[in-house]
Amino acid sequence: AVVSRSARDTHTTLTIDMCHSGETECPPMGLETLRIDDFQLHASTTKRYGLGAHRGRLNIQAGIYEDDLYDGAWCAGIDDPLQWFEVDARRLTKFTGVITQGRSSLWSSDWVTSYKVMVSNDSHTWITLKNGSKDLIFIGNREKEIPVRNMLPEPVVGRYIRVNPRSWFHSGSVCMRVEILGCPMPDPNNYYHRRNEVITTDNLDFRHHSYKEMRQLMKVVNEMCPNITRIYNIGKSHSGLKLYAIEISDNPGEHEVGEPEFRYTAGSHGNEVLGRELLLLLMQFMCLEYRSGNQRIRHLVAETRIHLLPSLNPDGYEKAFEAGSELSGWSLGRWSNDGIDIHHNFPDLNSILWEGEAKKWIPRKMFNHHVPVPEWYLSKNASVAVETRALIAWMEKIPFVLGGNIQGGELVVTFPYDKTRSQGVAREQTPTPDDHVFRWLAFSYASTHRLMTAANRRVCHTEDFAKEDGTINGASWHTAAGSMNDFSYLHTNCFEFSMYVGCDKFPHESELPEEWENNRESLLVFMEQVHRGIKGVVRDLQGRGIANAIVSVQGIGHDIRTASDGDYWRLLNPGEYRVTAKAEGYSITSKKCEVGYEMGATSCNFIIGRTNLSRIKEIMEKFNKRPIRLPVSQLQARRTREILMDIKGVINAFVL
Ligand SMILES: *[C@@H]1O[C@H](CO)[C@@H](O)[C@H](O)[C@H]1NC(C)=O
Ligand SMILES: *[C@@H]1O[C@H](CO)[C@@H](O)[C@H](O)[C@H]1NC(C)=O
Ligand SMILES: *[C@@H]1O[C@H](CO)[C@@H](O)[C@H](O)[C@H]1NC(C)=O
Ligand SMILES: *[C@@H]1O[C@H](CO)[C@@H](O)[C@H](O)[C@H]1NC(C)=O
Ligand SMILES: *[C@@H]1O[C@H](CO)[C@@H](O)[C@H](O)[C@H]1NC(C)=O
C-alpha cells in the first residue's frame, strides 16, 4: 500500500499496488542510464576511439560531426563474424535478455542482423547459448533506430556477457548499440555495489502511469489533501485527452495578492517521461509532508501558489508508454498527434524584439517586454498544436513568476535565450538582459541535483556540461526558435527553464526511486527561488492596485508588469536596485530597493498619482471631447470655473 485515502473514508480505502515488476523479467542493467561505467564495456576491436565499446549504449546519440570522439555506436575494427561486444557486470548476474539497435548516424547505415550470446564467470571460459546442440542465433535489427529485444530462452547466471554479431546490413559495418537485461545476484560481501545503491525512504507510488492511472493518482492526492489541492485542466489534447494540472496552495482556486505563482510542466515531448513521474511524485510528497507537518513544505504551500502539470502531450506519451521503456527508441511519441513539436511551437518573438531594437523602436514604439503574439500565429490555419494554444492561454491567464519544464535525454538545466541572435548560426551565447538571474536560478537546480554537477560523471551523448556547472544558455547549446522558455520570457513575466533530468528518456520503472532521490531536493529548492528579488503592489492615491503598471529596474533592459490587483514580483539577485513604477496616466515614481542574501523577496511598494495631463484629459472627457470653449452659458461658466479652481493654472493653455 503506497498511497491511501485519509482515514475518514474507511469504507473505500484505496491502495495503489507498487509491486508491479515481477521477478520473471529483469530490468536493464543500465548501459543507457550510465549505471554501467565505461570501464565495464569492452570489445574485440574498434574502428576508432569515437566508435569504441563505451559508445555501444542503447539510444546513445552521435554529435553533428560524426567523425569526432562522440559517435553513435560501437563499431568493430574488422567486419567479420569473430567480433564481440562485452559487458562486465562486476558481480554475478542473472541475464535474461539483450536489446540491440543500429548506429545513430545521419550518413551511414549500420546495424547487426543476427548475433550469438555468450556468458562467462572469468572472461576466459565462455559458454555460448545453445538451442539443442546448435549455437543459438538471435535475429537482430532491420534498420538503425528501432530497438529489438530478444529474451534468452532461459536466464543464465554469469559475470560477463558477450554479443557476437554474425551478420549485418550488407552495405554497412558491424556496429551496434546494446542494453542487457539482468538482475544482480545477492552479494552481501560486495561493498562496491552496496555503496552505490540508492534507497529512498519516501513511501510513494514509484511506477509509470498511463493517462488513466495518472488521472486516478491525481484524484487520490486531491482527496488526501483537499485543503491545499485543486485539480483543473487547461484544455484538451488533439485526441481529446484533458491536460490536467494540480494546484497546491493554502487557498486553492484563487490568486492571493502578493503571493507568487509557480509552475512545473512536463512531457511536452511525450517520450520524455521522467518529468511526468517526478511531478506525480512531487504532488504526493508535498501532500504527505504537509499533512505530517513538515515546516519547509508548510511554509512553501502557505507562501506560494504552485501548479504542477505532468503531461503536456498525453497523446505522444500513450504511444511511448505502449512500446515501453526500452523499446520506444529515441523519438516515438515525441510529437503531438498532428506531428508538432509542442516545446518549439511558440511564436518566435525574439526576431520581432530584435528587429525593434535594431530600428531603435524601444521604448517609444515598442516595449522591451510583453511582445505581442503576431497576427498570423493566431489564425486558424497556422500550424499550431491545440496543446500549445492551451498552454499559451494558461500562461497569459495566470501571473506566473517562475517555471520549469522537465525534459529528458540529457542532464543539464537550460535557460533563455534558446534562439541565437545571429541569423543562421547553430550555436552562440545569447544572453537575456536577466542573464545573471537566469544563471543563478539554473544553478540552484543543477547544483542540488545528485548527478548534474558530479565531477566524475560521464557525458550522456556528446556534450560536457560540467564546465558550466550543469547549466547552459540554450542558444549556446543549439539554436531553437519559438521555444517555451523564450516565449515565456518575452510575452509574459515568467522566467522559464528546461530541466533535462536524465540521459535515458524513458527510464525503467526500477529507476524511479533513485531518480526521485536525484531530483527531489532540486525540485524543492528551485520552487523556493520564486521568493527571491523584490515584490510589491503598485497603488494609486486612493489605495487601489493598478493593473498592468510597468516595473523597471535600472540597468536591466527587460521590464515586468503588475498583475490585475497591482501586485508584481521581480526576480533579482542580491544587490541594490533603482526601481521605477509607471502606468499610463500616472506620474513616474522611483525608489531604491535592496535585495539581501537571505530567502524572502524584499517588499517594494509604490503609490503613484495621476499626471496633470491625464487629469486634463479626464476633464475634457466631461466636455464630450469637444475643446473647451469660453463660457457660452451660465451653467457652463460655473462648471468651467470649478475646473479652473480644481487644477489651478495648468489648464489655461488648453482653454485659451
Ligand atoms: C558462474 O558461477 C555461478 C555460481 O558459481 C554458476 O551458477 C554459473 O553457472 C556460472 N556461470 C558460468 C557461465 O559459468
Ligand atoms: C530452436 O531450434 C528449433 C529447431 O531447429 C526451432 O524450431 C526453434 O525456433 C529454435 N529456437 C530458437 C529460440 O531459436
Ligand atoms: C483542513 O481544513 C479543516 C477545516 O478548516 C481543518 O480542520 C483541517 O485541519 C485542515 N486539514 C489540513 C490537512 O490542513
Ligand atoms: C492562412 O490563410 C490565409 C488566408 O487564407 C493566408 O493568407 C495565409 O498564408 C495562411 N497561412 C498559413 C500559415 O497557411
Ligand atoms: C501638476 O500641477 C500642479 C498644480 O497645478 C503643479 O504644481 C505641478 O508642478 C504639476 N506637475 C507637473 C509634472 O507638471
Side-chain angles (χ1 to χ4, degrees), residues 587 610-613 615-616 646-651:
S587 55
R610 297 189 69 81
T611 58
N612 290 342
L613 186 61
R615 290 182 64 203
I616 290 163
D646 184 27
I647 57 169
K648 303 216 170 84
V650 193
I651 205 166

Side-chain angles (χ1 to χ4, degrees), residues 31-32 41 51-62 71-75 85 87 98-106 108 110-112 115 141 143-149 163 165 174-180 326 329-331 461:
L31 277 75
E32 180 176 14
L41 303 176
L51 291 163
H54 65 291
R55 303 296 295 173
R57 300 169 180 273
L58 190 72
N59 283 323
I60 208 164
Q61 301 295 300
D71 218 331
W74 159 65
C75 289
F85 174 83
V87 181
V98 174
I99 301 170
T100 58
Q101 204 177 22
R103 172 179 172 186
S104 158
S105 170
L106 286 175
S108 43
D110 307 301
W111 59 86
V112 167
Y115 57 87
N141 300 87
E143 51 88 79
K144 51 190 160 189
E145 285 301 333
I146 301 175
V148 171
R149 179 180 60 188
V163 177
V174 175
C175 298
M176 63 199 313
R177 291 179 281 171
V178 178
E179 182 61 84
I180 304 289
E326 275 57 65
W330 193 244
S331 57
H461 303 286

